[in-house]
Amino acid sequence: DVENEMLRYSFVNGSQFDSVYTIDVSQTFLLNNVNGTLLLLKALDREEVSSHMITVRVEDAAGHSTTGVVRVTVRDVNDNSPVVINANSMGVILLNVWESTSPNTVIGSVVGTDADEGNNARLTYSINTQSITSRN
């Protein structure tokens, strides 16, 4: 039927995002009002907004309409470097140890974090033995 062939697609005002950030859907996505394809207008950053909930209206020539929700989940890429969070502004963790401290005593720890998620946020720790210095 001709009425069903003439569908029009549009964003519903007030489309919601399940994040604390507000992004103008018309500045981030473009919806083709004739065929309903959704185009990304700018790069997305999962660390800023991890998913977008967009409400779309579909209307036929007779004025009958329905709405649907499109959830766009932003998948993580490893785009952030890890950070040592207990280091000073020079990137150094300062530990003071008494000379009488017994061997095998825990004297401190390195605490790191990464803004990525999943395997992209997994950290490994190692000691670069060439960077070890001592003073007499």
Side-chain angles (χ1 to χ4, degrees):
D1 136 312
V2 175
E3 289 179 352
N4 288 333
E5 293 175 11
M6 298 182 62
L7 299 176
R8 292 285 182 220
Y9 302 84
S10 61
F11 291 126
V12 175
N13 290 340
S15 291
Q16 299 296 312
F17 301 99
D18 60 342
S19 72
V20 296
Y21 299 94
T22 301
I23 295 180
D24 183 353
V25 70
S26 65
Q27 299 298 314
T28 306
F29 302 99
L30 178 67
L31 180 64
N32 183 308
N33 65 352
V34 175
N35 64 20
T37 57
L38 193 62
L39 179 70
L40 183 64
L41 295 177
K42 66 178 188 176
L44 302 175
D45 186 348
R46 188 211 52 90
E47 287 78 23
E48 289 182 16
V49 181
S50 61
S51 68
H52 304 269
M53 300 294 283
I54 305 166
T55 306
V56 176
R57 172 178 283 114
V58 182
E59 187 173 344
D60 65 17
H64 301 106
S65 67
T66 188
T67 59
V69 176
V70 178
R71 180 181 181 135
V72 178
T73 301
V74 183
R75 301 203 44 189
D76 189 43
V77 295
N78 197 352
D79 59 344
N80 291 286
S81 297
V83 175
V84 176
I85 60 175
N86 61 333
N88 65 18
S89 62
M90 301 292 290
V92 176
I93 298 171
L94 301 173
L95 301 174
N96 294 303
V97 181
W98 295 104
E99 63 181 310
S100 60
T101 302
S102 300
N104 297 318
T105 300
V106 174
I107 61 168
S109 62
V110 177
V111 180
T113 187
D114 192 308
D116 292 310
E117 71 177 0
N119 286 336
N120 293 334
R122 186 178 308 157
L123 302 178
T124 58
Y125 299 85
S126 62
I127 295 176
N128 180 350
T129 56
Q130 294 179 4
S131 68
I132 296 176
T133 59
S134 62
R135 288 187 257 171
N136 293 332

